[in-house]
Amino acid sequence: MADKQITVTSPLLPDLEEFIPMLRDIWDRKWLTNNGHYHKELEKALADYLGVQYISLFTNGTLPLITALQALEVRGEVITTPYSFVATTHSIWWNGLKPVFVDVEEKTGNIDPEKIEAAITPRTTAIMPVHVYGTPCDTKRIQEIADQHHLKVIYDAAHAFGVQVNRESVLKHGDMSTLSFHATKVYNTIEGGALVCHDEAIKKHIDYLKNFGFAGETTVVAPGINSKMDEIRSAYGLLNLKQVDKAIAQRKRIAEIYRQGLKDVAGIRMLEDVENVRHNYAYFPIFINEEYSISRDALYAKLKEHNILGRRYFYPLISSFDSYKNLDSANPANLPIANKLADQVLCLPMFATLTDEDIYRIIDIVSTMK
């Protein structure tokens, strides 16, 4: 009998018995979108859970990135990382801005603050770092650089739901932070996202921008877009919020089993927990070097033969795609660490309902591969 298929992620699903009455309630209210009852409830619940003042819900995780750049009136060049999902850089391009790539730290995969200053030009107006795999960036150093050069900071926190540093939300740093609630994330609304800011007036402006710029029935105050979250996904999100802490705890347990099972395997490096950080264990990347018995791509293929669908996340680098590879900052010689990580990384399955049997089967295959 063939092995059952195991993917890198599996969505956190709400209790169907609770969800159906909410769907009936939405139907009875006849208010399916446009800042409805559940939309308002979810914004409040997420602000409370995440420890932030202002949060705006979106229909996916890319539109908050695009809208953040609009709301802060970013122009010219934006310094960012090539080691991320393409949406990070795409959001810069969609705003008619120039992405400028800098290298990353080998230990975390996050943007290297010491490489940022050398990339600043008179046209630079913002920095867009990413909390890769949910590990917080060096927010203190990044803010020091931003303040010194009068730059805006927008964090792509797509992986960082619920992450805290010294018991404070990582989302409080920078001018804004964006979240993704895609089905593959620790917390999801099927598709969805959010934009976190720190000022009531900016929150109001963001809410105008995500609703075509309407400030009233006949008043449009900005060239906005339609990116509102509907009532069904808002209700779904409210239910998932009830179980996300349990899911994170289970993810932590899985990470600990992986680390114990793979710690003595030559050629495999794993990310460790950072002191004073509440991690969410969004992904479990391993990095395969020349000491391992086979190549990263060979291991990826071998796992697939056993119906285990790992993910080379992030590979290839954004800077290697046709849309961006001709930028001066995309030269591989300027991005040695990012290229190294992209060539080594393989994310193993990580989701709350992953069984012990499957975890140990994955460990067995990875640790005995020849």
Side-chain angles (χ1 to χ4, degrees):
M1 187 173 68
D3 293 324
K4 71 175 183 180
Q5 189 176 89
I6 307 172
T7 57
V8 167
T9 59
S10 180
L12 184 65
L13 299 172
D15 185 330
L16 191 60
E17 296 303 313
E18 288 188 89
F19 191 38
I20 289 174
M22 295 176 84
L23 291 175
R24 291 197 181 102
D25 185 52
I26 292 168
W27 187 263
D28 291 341
R29 289 174 186 272
K30 297 180 174 59
W31 191 325
L32 300 181
T33 187
N34 259 7
N35 201 31
H37 170 76
Y38 289 107
H39 182 283
K40 292 175 182 176
E41 277 201 16
L42 183 56
E43 280 197 343
K44 183 180 184 305
L46 285 172
D48 290 343
Y49 178 86
L50 295 170
V52 299
Q53 277 191 289
Y54 303 104
I55 188 167
S56 296
L57 294 176
F58 283 74
T59 193
N60 61 47
T62 304
L63 286 164
L65 287 164
I66 294 173
T67 303
L69 291 160
Q70 284 281 318
L72 292 173
E73 299 182 348
V74 174
R75 300 291 181 264
E77 297 176 354
V78 179
I79 293 172
T80 191
T81 170
Y83 193 71
S84 181
F85 186 63
V86 290
T88 308
T89 305
H90 284 354
S91 70
I92 297 170
W93 184 91
W94 274 97
N95 276 283
L97 309 173
K98 181 180 179 181
V100 176
F101 299 114
V102 301
D103 210 1
V104 301
E105 301 170 326
E106 186 165 3
K107 185 177 180 180
T108 64
N110 289 333
I111 194 168
D112 187 342
E114 301 314 313
K115 301 293 174 61
I116 291 174
E117 282 198 279
I120 295 172
T121 74
R123 287 178 47 79
T124 308
T125 59
I127 309 169
M128 185 177 279
V130 179
H131 300 300
V132 175
Y133 309 127
T135 300
C137 293
D138 185 347
T139 55
K140 181 179 179 181
R141 181 67 184 123
I142 291 170
Q143 194 61 54
E144 288 172 351
I145 295 167
D147 290 344
Q148 182 179 350
H149 295 276
H150 309 291
L151 307 177
K152 301 294 186 183
V153 180
I154 301 166
Y155 282 103
D156 181 338
H159 295 176
F161 185 89
V163 172
Q164 297 177 349
V165 182
N166 294 318
R167 298 188 178 182
E168 182 175 77
S169 173
V170 74
L171 304 174
K172 289 188 173 182
H173 295 282
D175 294 279
M176 294 184 185
S177 293
T178 70
L179 291 161
S180 171
F181 301 150
H182 186 268
T184 59
K185 298 298 187 287
V186 171
Y187 165 84
N188 80 87
T189 58
I190 305 174
E191 281 273 11
L195 181 48
V196 172
C197 65
H198 317 300
D199 179 88
E200 186 176 6
I202 294 177
K203 152 77 170 163
K204 182 178 286 190
H205 184 53
I206 289 166
D207 289 344
Y208 291 155
L209 287 174
K210 75 175 187 180
N211 186 30
F212 304 101
F214 276 108
E217 185 179 351
T218 58
T219 303
V220 173
V221 296
I225 196 169
N226 182 20
S227 51
K228 308 178 298 294
M229 182 180 286
D230 60 74
E231 285 292 88
I232 292 172
R233 281 183 286 180
S234 297
Y236 187 103
L238 279 166
L239 292 179
N240 266 350
L241 195 58
K242 294 181 179 181
Q243 57 181 349
V244 71
D245 283 335
K246 182 179 179 181
I248 290 172
Q250 180 62 6
R251 284 171 174 265
K252 179 179 180 180
R253 177 180 172 275
I254 294 167
E256 290 169 348
I257 296 173
Y258 272 141
R259 287 174 184 157
Q260 182 64 28
L262 298 174
K263 64 183 176 65
D264 295 324
V265 180
I268 288 182
R269 180 175 72 88
M270 296 171 280
L271 299 183
E272 296 299 327
D273 285 355
V274 179
E275 188 177 359
N276 297 321
V277 171
R278 185 222 189 202
H279 291 271
N280 66 3
Y281 307 92
Y283 296 90
F284 195 86
I286 60 174
F287 298 89
I288 311 295
N289 64 40
E290 62 279 358
E291 294 182 26
Y292 190 65
S293 54
I294 59 176
S295 70
R296 186 275 308 272
D297 289 346
L299 176 58
Y300 171 75
K302 286 291 185 181
L303 287 170
K304 189 178 286 188
E305 288 176 11
H306 291 273
N307 240 349
I308 299 166
L309 307 184
R311 187 176 181 187
R312 294 166 291 184
Y313 194 59
F314 303 99
Y315 169 83
L317 287 181
I318 299 173
S319 53
S320 70
F321 292 127
D322 287 345
S323 302
Y324 306 113
K325 67 182 182 182
N326 292 323
L327 293 170
D328 290 342
S329 64
N331 187 330
N334 298 327
L335 307 167
I337 303 302
N339 276 280
K340 179 180 179 180
L341 296 184
D343 288 341
Q344 292 183 345
V345 70
L346 180 61
C347 286
L348 300 180
M350 167 59 80
F351 49 90
T353 54
L354 191 62
T355 67
D356 284 6
E357 178 185 358
D358 289 332
I359 299 166
Y360 286 111
R361 184 159 71 89
I362 294 163
I363 291 170
D364 183 62
I365 293 169
V366 173
S367 60
T368 61
M369 191 56 62
K370 302 294 184 186

